[in-house]
Amino acid sequence: QSYLVALGFTLVGAGVFSATRLRKPIVPQESLIGVVYAVSAAAAILVLSRAPEGGEELKALLVGHLLFVGSPETLKVLILYSAVGVVHWIARKPLLAISQDPEGSFARGLRVRWWDFLFYATFGVVVTSSVEMAGVLLVFSFLIVPAVCGVLLAKTIGRRLLVGWMVGLITSMAGISASYVWDLPTGATVVCAFGVCLIVCAILRALRLTV
């Protein structure tokens, strides 16, 4: 029930964000999404502060339970991520167009808000389905840091994807290994590993070691 409720709010949020997309926004859409995320997270903390065992629930919300993920959960997210990947591959041209040139996409008559809704909805489904396992912090680290590293180190879309996949894989393995060796919480350790990785990529960018 909690998953279905979260998924329902996700789709409502996707509809709101896509419907309020402007051709020439005063404030970038990403900034508004960040504000909504911060306020929603704060509201969740307020609710959990009044709930029995709210502290444990809050910890699970932030860092998840990676070490206790079983085969059924792994199979479920594998199928889900594969389906979302196929959808994004089929819709890659309009999604890239509205991402790189939103004003031009409006001018060419592209149905920007509908494609926005598709992206936000699939994005939200992935996040909603992953937070219970990995936690909010790790999910957003996976979504943001590899992509930023790809932009820092590569010039083309294909190379950025490759760099992002490599960063996600190597950093995850390094973070999990560090959490095992030093007996640290796995989710939080992997998030910190992503932070270190981002610094390393920024240094490589400054040294012009890009692909």
Side-chain angles (χ1 to χ4, degrees), residues 37 60-66 77 81 122-147 168 172 186-188 190-192 194:
Y37 164 71
L61 175 67
L62 293 176
V63 298
H65 58 277
L66 279 180
V77 296
Y81 294 169
T122 52
F123 179 88
V125 168
V126 169
V127 172
T128 303
S129 304
S130 306
V131 163
E132 184 179 359
M133 293 184 297
V136 172
L137 299 179
L138 186 54
V139 167
F140 275 87
S141 296
F142 268 113
L143 290 171
I144 296 171
V145 176
S172 299
T186 305
V190 177
V191 172
C192 291
F194 271 116

Side-chain angles (χ1 to χ4, degrees), residues 11-209:
L11 296 178
V12 171
V16 171
F17 287 137
S18 58
T20 55
R21 173 74 170 259
L22 301 176
R23 296 187 65 167
K24 295 181 179 180
I26 300 175
V27 178
Q29 189 83 347
E30 292 79 8
S31 301
L32 297 177
I33 294 173
V35 170
V36 171
Y37 164 71
V39 173
S40 300
I45 292 173
L46 291 178
V47 172
L48 290 174
S49 68
R50 296 293 184 179
E53 301 181 358
E56 290 299 321
E57 291 291 340
L58 179 59
K59 180 180 177 181
L61 175 67
L62 293 176
V63 298
H65 58 277
L66 279 180
L67 296 182
F68 303 99
V69 175
S71 298
E73 289 178 286
T74 305
L75 181 61
K76 182 186 74 172
V77 296
L78 174 62
I79 295 172
L80 176 64
Y81 294 169
S82 299
V84 171
V86 170
V87 171
H88 281 201
W89 172 257
I90 295 173
R92 66 190 183 280
K93 291 183 179 180
L95 290 179
L96 283 173
I98 65 175
S99 176
Q100 297 173 339
D101 185 18
E103 189 172 346
S105 299
F106 272 112
R108 291 192 299 271
L110 197 64
R111 304 182 72 179
V112 174
R113 292 185 177 89
W114 283 107
W115 290 113
D116 267 349
F117 177 77
L118 174 66
F119 174 75
Y120 289 138
T122 52
F123 179 88
V125 168
V126 169
V127 172
T128 303
S129 304
S130 306
V131 163
E132 184 179 359
M133 293 184 297
V136 172
L137 299 179
L138 186 54
V139 167
F140 275 87
S141 296
F142 268 113
L143 290 171
I144 296 171
V145 176
V148 173
C149 291
V151 172
L152 289 175
L153 299 181
K155 298 178 180 179
T156 65
I157 297 294
R159 291 179 180 178
R160 288 174 179 177
L161 279 173
L162 183 59
V163 170
W165 291 336
M166 292 177 61
V167 164
L169 177 62
I170 295 172
T171 305
S172 299
M173 295 175 61
I176 292 172
S177 299
S179 72
Y180 174 78
V181 172
W182 290 309
D183 192 23
L184 297 171
T186 305
T189 306
V190 177
V191 172
C192 291
F194 271 116
V196 173
C197 180
L198 185 58
I199 294 173
V200 172
C201 290
I203 294 173
L204 294 176
R205 168 79 177 195
L207 297 175
R208 299 184 183 278
L209 299 176

